[in-house]
Structures are given as structure tokens and as C-alpha cells.
Amino acid sequence: MSENAASGDAVPLTELDGLRTANASLERVNRRQFDMLQALFLHSPAAISLQSVEDGRFVDVNIQWQRLTGYSWEQATSSTSLGLGFWPDIESRNRALAELEQDPSLSGVEINFINARGENMLLEWRGSVMQIAGESFLLAYLIDITAQRVAQEAVVEGEHALQEANDDLRGQVELYEETEKLAQAGHWIVPQGHSNPRWSRGLFQMARIPWTEKIGPDVWEAGLHKEDRANYLAAREAMDGRLAEFRWTCRDGDVRWWRSRMHRYHRQDGSYVDFGVVQDFTEEALAEQVLQQRLDVIQRLTSRLPEMVFQFEMFTRDSGRFVFVSDACSDIFGVTPEEARANPANVFRLVHSDDIIQTLKSMNAAASDGMTWAQEFRIRRKDGTVRSLFGKAIVFLEPTGRFNAYGSLTDVTEHKASLAVLQESEARFRALTELSSDWYWEQDTDHRFIRFDGALQAGKTKTGERNIGLTRWDAGAINMTDADWQAHRALLDARLPFYELELCDHDADGVVFWISVSGAPIFDSHGVFKGYRGIGRSITERKADEAKIERLAFYDVLTDLPNRRLLQDHLQYAVAACARGRLHGALLFIDLDNFKDLNDTRGHDVGDRLLTLVARRLQACVRESDTVARLGGDEFIVLLQDLDGTAAQAGLQAEAVGQKILLQLNAPYDLPGGPHHSTPSLGIVLIHGQRQSVDELLKQADLAMYEAKAAGRNTLRFFDPAMQLMVAQRAELESDLRLGLKRGELMLYYQPVVDANRAVVGAEALLRWLHPGRGLVSPLEFVPLAEQTGLIIPVGVWVLQTACAQLAQWASDPLTAHLTVAVNVSARQFRQDEFVSQVQGALQQTGADPKLLKLELTESLLLTDTQDAIMKMAALRSLGVRFALDDFGTGYSSLSYLKMLPLQQLKIDQSFVRDVLTDHNDAAIARTVLALGRSLGFDVVAEGVETEGQRQFLLDQGCTLFQGYLFGRPVPVAEFRFN
């Protein structure tokens, strides 16, 4: 016994052998299972791969996988599923694995795959995740569904083709039925061995029988007209396609005319089918009956006509016959109608020998070309007299294949003699008019020109072919108003003569010319109005002479300006107009300073040259409706009319024109002998609603001018002391504002804009001026001044830059980064070409967020040039800048421009908010604006909210943004509250 056995640890030999046997058996089972699994994996008909979940690396692939993909085991196990192109990217693979882990029963994923052979394949990918030795692996199956998909698409395509074929067949059937309906036609079919025909729907409709009714012999028996039955049955028996016409009696008693062709069609199997096509030609039959009745009437009528009416049938180019000749043949040719029909040579042998060839040639040409025949020729009657005839006819090619001419012959012998006399008279008249300086004209009953004769060159654009077919007012005249033409037309409509109607126009070279026309109505022997005729002559030279005389009487010879006489007429009219309409005007008295020195030192010719240049500059300073006149010497007058309504506004306008004149007349003059500097002194007096005499106004303007000279010359003065004081104050204010802009006296106040919860969402920037002497100046006082003087441009740029800088500062604090700032933009600033670049510059320089900047525009600004406004707004909107329509409802509110303009917000004017609780109209307007804003997708801000009641009303109506004293007054930014 061993030491182990002695110690009690020995294992019996039989037990060890049993363990070895069991272990060997277990190994054989495991090996068998492994071989089975290996066989299932390697030789499976499905393409199987084992991949690492972590990186997609292939661990193993079976034989079918290698056949399907074209990649060997070595190629696969040295690559990944992404590397071999199973997935377009790693995200697609991870997304498929994630879906598989969430739902292991997930159906297959379709993969577009290009195998190692370069073939495009559509694969279905399935898989399951398993854990092996603590590592995640993916067992994936690939199924080639390319052929399956192609087959499915082929089935779908076949079904689609079948559907299209069915649709085409249905459409052809519907088209055939519609064709029968439109052509009023139908058909029937009787196969061999059947007695009852099958009718088409078109035939049912023609017979007015329900298409569901069964057709038997009794239907034909009842419908066929008794008198036509034999004719129809003969055609039915023959079945040779002959045309059969018969009548059909509908069940409502209406009788219709039908025509039919019937055939027998023999099939390849020896059987036949009888069929017939039927058409309703009732209207045609009735028309033929009516035509025959009319021909009978024509026969009776032509028997009394002086013209010979005929129908001539042509057999060949040289033969034919008269089918019809009226009784006038006897009077014209001395041949009876019977003789003409019996032998047409009885007529043709009377045609003059010099005309017979041309007459026959024209008849044959009309027949061959299908033209209308018209020919004048002579005949020599049996008594030797020669007569002139005019023949005309319409030539038709009849179904018989022969040409038939339908026409008439008229004896025009007396008419030609009268025409010769008339032509001789017209020749004499034309000779007279061509030798005259006048021209002759005629108009029809609609007053349209139909004729011109004579010296047409004198009438220039008012005569000749270009005016044929036009009325005198169509041709126009620059001196005639609509009222003038109406008065002239009234005279013509009254059929009255007119004398010396003077018309002015431009010729082809743009030169003005004048003509004078006179005319009288034309009536025929029965008193019927036929138009107008008359004469015209050129009066251009006379008008030029009259204009010279008038200019000498009313205009200054040197400067070509109105003189004192014409000025007094204009001034009297202006005074009367101001008194009637309570308007304002202004009279500016201008005297050149030290003009006498120029005359004395450089001569009167140089002084005259200066006066001429001053006149031109003064005209350039005023409107066309204003008057510039020369009183004499170096004194000029400017008369301004239609100035703004109030005296203050009129004074401002007059002062602006005066300043413009001062500026223009101070510029150097290029005179003979060298440049010259001249200055003026201006006196201004206002013309108002009270009656003022012309002399009094001139005297007051003269006094004001001398006050300007006394003030040092080269300046202007108003006659009214109060007006002068106002102008001085305005000038001082303008000067202070310019200095204030430079010295930084302007500042922005901010008024909060809150939402429905009273939270501050933004602010409106309001301009203020803190004057060092006057204190806080009202914007109502200095903003209009800035608009008028152009200072609003630099002021507006300053406001934009300051507001954008404040936005940038707020953006740095999370508590205020969301706040918007609204800036009011003036009309003059917005119309500047540089406005868009100014806004862009302010945003770039400050770094402000464009989305938080809101520009407020007025309705009147947008309506002035809508297209320009849209372009500028669109350019800024592309940057993110938003737009609000300020004071909405107070201007010319129009839905059309609201739709066109890129707006984001409307602001209800405070004038509507103020009385919204007491005035039904204001309440209605507020509700309407809010509803309009919602429908257009705009935000709506209510301005001027001062009470809780106003806020609650607006809130109930859907308003969500508010501004007014209830939430805060405009304050400097340091005092602005953010809650």
C-alpha cells in the first residue's frame, strides 16, 4: 500500500477509469455538437457572419457569405463591415445595432451593397447580439433580395401597364360615343343568324329611345315613315353601301331626316355581320327646303330688276349654257331669255369685237382660280348702238364637277357719261386748289377725314394720308382742351358751319405751327347729312407776328422776363386767389447791391450781361408756377403762390426761397473783362387772405428790401416785424441745434414696452435736446426744424449709432440681453440713398444684434415711393432688422401696402387708445387693428396706455404689447427700469 493509500486519500482504480470513460464520452458529445454547429455555420444555405459588436470586425464568415459577397474568408476577417461597404457610415451601423438591441425581433434592414465583383445588390440584413466569453458579438444573416425586388417592380409595372391599357380602352369608347353624339350619328349591327339589331348609344339618342330598351322589328316598323319604307328596305336588302335617305318618326311625333349606308362584312370563318351607319341631317334637309323657297322668291324678284341676273354653267373653256336668265336680258341685249337659254351665242356674238377676247379670258380665269368675276365690256346691239356693260359673278365648283357662275349684268352707259363729266369737273377743281395756298378737306358722317386736296404741305401734320380715317380731335392740337373739343363737336352735331378754328401743333421736326380751318355740312338731295367739307390755311407767320407784338408789350426785352405790366396782372390774380381761398403767397423784392459801380467802371453792356445772368439764376430758384419779373434797372420781383396754409408755414417757405436766392446770386459771374462778385438785398412781404392792393404790396416789399440794405446788404428782411422776429428766432434755433449736435447736447430717453405680464421686453428711443440756456427743448419744436434744414440726416445717424451702442451694452448683461430698441426714422432720412449703409454701419461699429433693432416708419413715408421703400426694407430685413408701422390708422391705411411691405409690427396710435373706454369709434378701430394684425401675422403695440382700464380692454381684445405712462415715462437710460 502506498503512502497516499496509507493516509486514506487514495482513489480506487475502478472509479478513475469510470471518470476517464465519462470524460471521453463528454468530449465526443462536445466534439459532435461542435462539428454539427460548424457544419450548420459553414454549410448553411444562408449567408452568415460573426462580427465584433464593438468595431464591426469580422470574426468568421461561412461559405454562402463568401459566395454572396465575393470576398474570401481571409479578406473578410481582415476587414470590417464598414470597410467592405455594408454601411455608408458608422452612424448608420450604430443606429441599426441600437434598434436591434431595443427590439431583437426587428424585421430585416435593406442594404444597397456592391460585391467584390462590382455588382449592385439589394440585401436584407438580420442579426442577433450574443455574449461569448464576456464579449459582445453579432451573428448576422444576409439574404439577396435583388431578384425578388426586380420581380416585385415588374409586377407593379405590369399592373400599371394593364391599368393604362384599360384606361385607354375606356377613353376610346367614351371618345367614340362622344363623336357619335357630336356628329348626330349612330350605328347598328346584326350578326348572322340574329333578327334583332344591336344599336349604339348614339342611335338610341337619335331615335329618342332609352338605350336600355330592347330593339325588335316592331321598333323599325313604328319609326320608319310610310312613304320612305320601300326605299329603305331596298337598300337594306342590297347591303351594297348605297346612300339611303328616309324619315324617322320619333315617339313624340317629331319627324327627323336620316341618311344611311349599309354593308355586309364577311368574317374569316365564313360568317357575316350586317351593319349600318346612320346620320341625322334634318337641319340640312330643312335648309334645302328653305333655299328652294327663297329661289322661287328670287325668280319673281329678278323679273322686275333692271340688271340681268343669270346663272351660267360652263362645260369647257369655250362652251356652256345659261341655266337662268332674268327678263332684263331683252332690254340690255335685245335677246329674249328663251333665246339666251337656247343658244348662249345669241348673247356672246353681240360683245364688241375689241372686248370679246378679254371678256372670255377673265371668265375662264375666274373659273380656274375660284375668283369673283368682274369685267366691264361693250356690246353692239342689232340696231348698231354701242352700250357699256359691267358684269360681276361668283363662281362655284358644283358637285357635278362643273363651274357655275351666279351674277348680274348692268348697263352703265349713262353712268360712265356722268362719271366723265364729274372727272372733268374735279380736274378743274384740283387745278384751282393746287394753285392756291389753301387746301380742301372732306369728312364723313362720323367726322373722319376722307379727302384732302390742294396745298397740303402748308398743313404739315394736319393734312395728307396720315390723317385719313381720323377725326380732327383724334389728330389733336396742343392749344385745345377737352372742353374746347366738346364745344366743337357740339357745333358739328348741330350741323352748323364753323369759321376760323385755330389749331396749334408740332410738325415732324418739333417746330410749332398754326392753321385755321373753316367748314360747312354736306347734305344730299334728300336732305340727308353726308359729312363736312371746308378749307384750311396756314397762319403760322401771323401767329408769330402776334406773339412778337405781345412779347414786346408784356416782356422785358433784355432778360425776356415779364415786365411791370404783366407782373401787375399776375399779382392781381394772386391777391384775388389768396383772398378767395384763404391761401398765402409771398412777394420778394430783389435789388442788386452796388450795381451802379459795375455800370460805371465796366460799361453798360457788361451790366446788361449781369442782369441777364441774374434773371436766369432767379428762374432756377423757383417753381414753374411762380413768377420772376424785372421792374427795371437792377430791380427784380419774385412772386410765390400756393404756399402752405398757415402764415408761419408760408413765412418759412418764403424765407427758404430767399435764402436760396441769396446763395445763388452770391456765386461769381463770368463777365467780359473778368469774374465779378455781386450780392443782392431782399425784401419779403406775405400775401394773405385779406384784401391787399398791388401797389401796397410792392411798396411794402420795397421797404423791406431797404431794411435789408440798412442791415448791411446781402441779406433779407420781412416787412412784418413779428414774422421777422420769428424768422430770427428760427435761425437762432437752427444755429444752436447745429452746435448742440457737435457739443453732444442731444440725448436719448427710453420708454419701456411691456408684455401682457407687465414684463419689459424692449424700449422706444426718444430724442431729447438739453440746451445749455433753454433747458430741455421739446422735440415738437426742433425736430420739424431739423427736417426742413436737412439737419435730420446727421441727427438721425447719431440716433442710430447711439441706440445700437445701447443695444450692444445691454447684450452684455443676461438680464437685459433680450431687450429690443425701437428707433423712429424720419421721411427725409429714409429717402437718402445711403440710408441702408448708414444702418449697416451703425450695427457693425457697435456690434449690436440686428434682430433686436426695430425701425419705426410712418404710413405717409411708405406711400411716397413704395417700390423704393420695399427695396430698402428688404435689404435691412435680410440682416435681421425688424420694422414697425408707427401711428397706424392716422394716415392712409391701406391693406394693399400692408401685404407688400416686409413689416413685423403695427403700433396703435395713442389718439385711439386715449378714449377707447368712452368712444365707440376708437374702440372699434382698436379692435380692428388688433384683428388685422393677427390675420397678417403682425405684433401689435398699443401706445399711450395710461390707465388700468385701457390696458384691460386692450388685453381682452388680444393685445399683448403695451407702451405708455402706466408702465413708465421716457427717461434717461440710467433711470430706465427693467421690471
Side-chain angles (χ1 to χ4, degrees):
M1 181 178 293
S2 67
E3 184 178 350
N4 289 338
S7 62
D9 293 332
V11 178
L13 184 60
T14 56
E15 185 179 349
L16 184 60
D17 291 339
L19 289 175
R20 287 182 180 140
T21 303
N23 184 49
S25 175
L26 183 60
E27 286 180 356
R28 285 194 300 274
V29 171
N30 289 338
R31 183 64 185 177
R32 183 170 179 274
Q33 290 178 345
F34 176 79
D35 292 342
M36 291 175 64
L37 288 174
Q38 184 73 0
L40 287 174
F41 179 82
L42 288 177
H43 304 289
S44 173
I48 308 174
S49 66
L50 185 64
Q51 308 169 25
S52 171
V53 172
E54 180 180 1
D55 55 8
R57 178 179 51 81
F58 285 102
V59 177
D60 200 358
V61 295
N62 69 353
I63 297 173
Q64 181 60 27
W65 187 95
Q66 298 174 47
R67 291 171 182 165
L68 181 66
T69 64
Y71 291 104
S72 65
W73 186 90
E74 290 79 7
Q75 289 175 315
T77 56
S78 62
S79 184
T80 64
S81 59
L82 185 63
L84 294 183
F86 286 96
W87 307 102
D89 49 53
I90 190 64
E91 288 78 10
S92 300
R93 174 185 176 274
N94 293 340
R95 188 164 48 251
L97 289 175
E99 293 176 357
L100 183 64
E101 290 178 353
Q102 292 178 2
D103 185 6
S105 61
L106 184 69
S107 59
V109 177
E110 292 185 358
I111 298 175
N112 289 306
F113 178 70
I114 301 176
N115 62 20
R117 296 179 293 276
E119 299 169 344
N120 287 305
M121 306 179 70
L122 184 64
L123 305 178
E124 183 179 88
W125 178 89
R126 297 173 181 271
S128 60
V129 178
M130 60 181 61
Q131 298 294 323
I132 302 176
E135 185 179 353
S136 296
F137 290 91
L138 172 67
L139 187 66
Y141 299 84
L142 292 178
I143 302 174
D144 185 357
I145 58 171
T146 307
Q148 176 185 347
R149 180 56 51 85
V150 171
Q152 289 175 349
E153 292 178 353
V155 171
V156 172
E157 184 65 25
E159 291 176 349
H160 180 68
L162 179 60
Q163 182 63 38
E164 286 187 344
N166 289 334
D167 292 342
D168 290 344
L169 181 59
R170 188 181 301 107
Q172 291 175 4
V173 172
E174 292 177 357
L175 177 62
Y176 183 77
E177 292 180 350
E178 187 65 22
T179 302
E180 282 195 339
K181 180 179 179 181
L182 292 174
Q184 298 189 71
H187 68 273
W188 54 262
I189 298 174
V190 180
Q192 181 179 359
H194 293 74
S195 59
N196 294 334
R198 294 201 296 268
W199 283 16
S200 70
R201 289 201 179 190
L203 190 56
F204 276 108
Q205 188 174 12
M206 287 168 52
R208 301 179 188 175
I209 297 175
W211 70 273
T212 55
E213 185 173 321
K214 185 176 181 180
I215 302 300
D218 56 327
V219 175
W220 281 102
E221 185 72 20
L224 276 173
H225 197 282
K226 294 180 180 179
E227 297 177 4
D228 301 332
R229 188 167 298 161
N231 178 35
Y232 173 79
L233 292 177
R236 178 70 176 86
E237 183 67 26
M239 295 299 292
D240 56 1
R242 70 181 64 175
L243 184 67
E245 295 183 351
F246 54 92
R247 284 164 289 181
W248 178 272
T249 304
C250 299
R251 293 176 179 177
D252 57 4
D254 187 20
V255 177
R256 309 293 296 178
W257 278 95
W258 288 2
R259 63 164 61 100
S260 177
R261 292 186 186 274
M262 292 167 273
H263 296 269
R264 174 165 291 168
Y265 171 70
H266 293 275
R267 295 170 172 164
Q268 293 181 351
D269 60 0
S271 62
Y272 64 84
V273 175
D274 291 344
F275 68 91
V277 179
V278 186
Q279 182 185 26
D280 189 320
F281 73 106
T282 305
E283 286 71 20
E284 179 184 338
L286 295 177
E288 290 180 356
Q289 295 176 6
V290 172
L291 179 61
Q292 185 59 47
Q293 294 172 358
R294 291 179 178 176
L295 288 175
D296 294 341
V297 173
I298 291 173
Q299 176 67 31
R300 291 191 292 270
L301 290 175
T302 56
S303 63
R304 299 293 185 266
L305 290 177
E307 294 87 358
M308 185 188 105
V309 181
F310 65 87
Q311 177 186 353
F312 186 79
E313 183 179 22
M314 301 178 67
F315 301 151
T316 65
R317 297 179 62 86
D318 302 319
S319 63
R321 70 184 181 95
F322 283 106
V323 179
F324 170 79
V325 179
S326 67
D327 295 341
C329 183
S330 300
D331 299 330
I332 294 176
F333 289 97
V335 176
T336 66
E338 291 76 18
E339 292 173 334
R341 287 195 295 269
N343 186 3
N346 293 329
V347 173
F348 283 98
R349 70 165 60 99
L350 298 178
V351 178
H352 199 284
S353 58
D354 293 341
D355 299 340
I356 183 63
I357 294 177
Q358 181 60 35
T359 301
L360 292 176
K361 185 183 295 184
S362 65
M363 292 177 65
N364 289 323
S368 61
D369 298 337
M371 299 168 54
T372 299
W373 176 69
Q375 181 71 32
E376 183 179 324
F377 58 92
R378 292 167 296 170
I379 63 170
R380 187 182 299 277
R381 299 178 55 167
K382 295 176 182 179
D383 57 6
T385 59
V386 176
R387 308 291 294 179
S388 294
L389 305 183
F390 179 73
K392 54 182 180 293
I394 301 175
V395 181
F396 290 101
L397 179 62
E398 301 293 350
T400 59
R402 293 176 177 175
F403 287 99
N404 275 252
Y406 302 86
S408 65
L409 290 171
T410 305
D411 191 329
V412 295
T413 307
E414 284 76 16
H415 173 71
K416 287 180 66 66
S418 300
L419 185 61
V421 173
L422 179 60
Q423 289 175 343
E424 182 180 357
S425 175
E426 286 191 348
R428 288 197 299 269
F429 171 76
R430 187 173 295 106
L432 289 174
T433 54
E434 289 176 353
L435 295 174
S436 170
S437 61
D438 298 343
W439 65 85
Y440 172 81
W441 55 266
E442 284 187 10
Q443 295 174 335
D444 60 16
T445 56
D446 294 324
H447 309 303
R448 301 185 184 278
F449 288 111
I450 58 175
R451 179 176 178 180
F452 288 99
D453 288 302
L456 304 186
Q457 70 280 358
K460 298 190 176 181
T461 60
K462 297 300 181 187
T463 59
E465 291 297 326
R466 67 171 63 88
N467 288 281
I468 297 296
L470 300 178
T471 64
R472 188 165 278 114
W473 43 90
D474 288 338
I478 60 178
N479 66 316
M480 297 287 283
T481 65
D482 290 341
D484 294 334
W485 284 124
Q486 289 177 2
H488 180 64
R489 294 181 67 172
L491 186 146
L492 298 182
D493 292 339
R495 311 292 187 254
L496 297 175
F498 62 92
Y499 306 97
E500 301 295 336
L501 175 64
E502 296 183 352
L503 303 174
C504 178
D505 211 337
H506 296 96
D507 64 12
D509 298 324
V511 180
V512 174
F513 70 93
W514 285 84
I515 63 172
S516 173
V517 292
S518 301
I522 307 172
F523 299 95
D524 64 9
S525 59
H526 301 287
V528 177
F529 174 68
K530 293 297 183 181
Y532 265 83
R533 62 188 167 199
I535 59 172
R537 64 170 57 91
S538 173
I539 58 171
T540 302
E541 292 184 5
R542 191 193 82 192
K543 283 292 185 180
D545 293 338
E546 291 175 354
K548 290 179 182 178
I549 295 172
E550 181 180 5
R551 181 157 291 277
L552 289 173
F554 292 102
Y555 287 86
D556 177 57
V557 177
L558 177 63
T559 62
D560 205 32
L561 294 177
N563 57 18
R564 179 184 289 270
R565 181 178 177 183
L566 185 57
L567 172 65
Q568 288 179 330
D569 291 342
H570 287 192
L571 194 50
Q572 286 177 347
Y573 172 81
V575 170
C578 290
R580 284 194 308 271
R582 295 184 177 181
L583 303 173
H584 287 83
L587 190 67
L588 284 69
F589 197 115
I590 304 160
D591 182 87
L592 300 182
D593 299 331
N594 304 314
F595 177 71
K596 184 175 182 299
D597 295 341
L598 178 67
N599 269 341
D600 293 342
T601 58
R602 301 176 66 172
H604 288 275
D605 55 339
V606 177
D608 289 346
R609 176 59 179 166
L610 175 63
L611 294 176
T612 303
L613 294 176
V614 168
R616 300 289 83 79
R617 293 187 184 186
L618 289 175
Q619 288 178 316
C621 291
V622 298
R623 303 165 297 181
E624 291 186 5
S625 59
D626 299 326
T627 301
V628 178
R630 182 187 177 206
L631 285 183
D634 61 344
E635 294 179 339
F636 295 87
I637 294 292
V638 172
L639 174 60
L640 305 178
Q641 301 186 63
D642 298 328
L643 299 182
D644 286 343
T646 66
Q649 292 171 328
L652 292 175
Q653 286 184 289
E655 191 262 347
V657 175
Q659 292 291 350
K660 186 177 182 181
I661 291 173
L662 283 172
L663 181 64
Q664 290 294 323
L665 298 191
N666 267 271
Y669 296 88
D670 186 12
L671 297 178
H676 175 71
H677 180 74
S678 176
T679 61
S681 295
L682 279 71
I684 305 176
V685 61
L686 289 183
I687 307 171
H688 46 73
Q690 299 176 358
R691 279 287 183 180
Q692 298 164 285
S693 69
V694 172
D695 291 338
E696 181 183 1
L697 287 170
L698 288 171
K699 189 180 301 182
Q700 291 174 352
D702 190 27
L703 290 173
M705 183 271 295
Y706 278 108
E707 288 183 12
K709 285 186 178 293
R713 303 177 187 273
N714 197 22
T715 187
L716 62 83
R717 286 292 184 269
F718 280 86
F719 172 75
D720 186 356
M723 182 61 67
Q724 183 62 46
L725 177 61
M726 186 192 69
V727 171
Q729 291 174 345
R730 177 179 175 276
E732 182 182 359
L733 186 64
E734 178 186 347
S735 177
D736 287 350
L737 182 56
R738 290 182 186 275
L739 291 174
L741 182 60
K742 294 179 181 179
R743 294 189 301 225
E745 295 171 3
L746 298 180
M747 57 191 306
L748 289 183
Y749 277 32
Y750 296 88
Q751 186 175 26
V753 177
V754 303
D755 61 13
N757 298 319
R758 299 178 182 265
V760 177
V761 295
E764 180 177 358
L766 300 170
L767 183 61
R768 296 293 186 266
W769 178 18
L770 187 58
H771 190 279
R774 303 184 184 195
L776 203 59
V777 182
S778 171
L780 298 177
E781 187 176 352
F782 73 86
V783 170
L785 175 65
E787 284 274 6
Q788 294 168 5
T789 60
L791 278 172
I792 196 66
I793 305 302
V795 169
V797 172
W798 178 86
V799 170
L800 276 172
Q801 291 176 339
T802 306
C804 289
Q806 188 58 58
L807 269 177
Q809 183 179 346
W810 280 344
S812 63
D813 187 346
L815 296 177
T816 58
H818 67 286
L819 296 181
T820 63
V821 171
V823 176
N824 292 281
V825 178
S826 75
R828 191 162 182 175
Q829 181 185 8
F830 185 79
R831 296 191 189 104
Q832 292 291 310
D833 293 338
E834 301 82 9
F835 176 71
V836 173
S837 60
Q838 289 173 357
V839 177
Q840 289 175 325
L843 290 169
Q844 291 172 357
Q845 292 172 15
T846 60
D849 186 353
K851 299 183 179 63
L852 300 177
L853 177 62
K854 190 183 304 175
L855 300 182
E856 295 190 0
L857 311 176
T858 61
E859 295 179 70
S860 58
L861 181 155
L862 297 174
L863 288 175
T864 302
D865 189 347
T866 305
Q867 190 61 36
D868 179 66
I870 292 174
M871 292 176 62
K872 289 178 179 176
M873 293 172 71
L876 292 175
R877 190 72 191 94
S878 66
L879 302 177
V881 178
R882 304 182 69 205
F883 289 91
L885 188 58
D886 198 13
D887 302 335
F888 182 71
T890 60
Y892 305 95
S893 301
S894 169
L895 291 180
S896 61
Y897 78 77
L898 283 182
K899 293 189 296 182
M900 292 189 297
L901 297 170
L903 295 167
Q904 289 77 46
Q905 191 176 87
L906 301 178
K907 301 193 77 172
I908 307 175
D909 188 67
Q910 59 183 348
S911 61
F912 301 128
V913 175
R914 184 185 304 112
D915 299 323
V916 74
L917 299 178
T918 58
D919 190 312
H920 294 298
N921 292 330
D922 286 350
I925 291 173
R927 280 193 292 266
T928 302
V929 174
L930 287 167
L932 179 62
R934 285 193 298 271
S935 63
L936 294 176
F938 296 163
D939 295 333
V940 180
V941 179
E943 294 183 306
V945 179
E946 299 180 356
T947 67
E948 187 61 39
Q950 294 169 348
R951 172 186 174 276
Q952 190 59 48
F953 172 83
L954 294 167
L955 189 63
D956 292 341
Q957 304 305 317
C959 186
T960 58
L961 297 174
F962 306 87
Q963 181 180 346
Y965 287 174
L966 180 63
F967 313 103
R969 294 175 178 271
V971 294
V973 67
E975 302 175 19
F976 188 78
R977 298 174 56 190
F978 300 104
N979 52 27

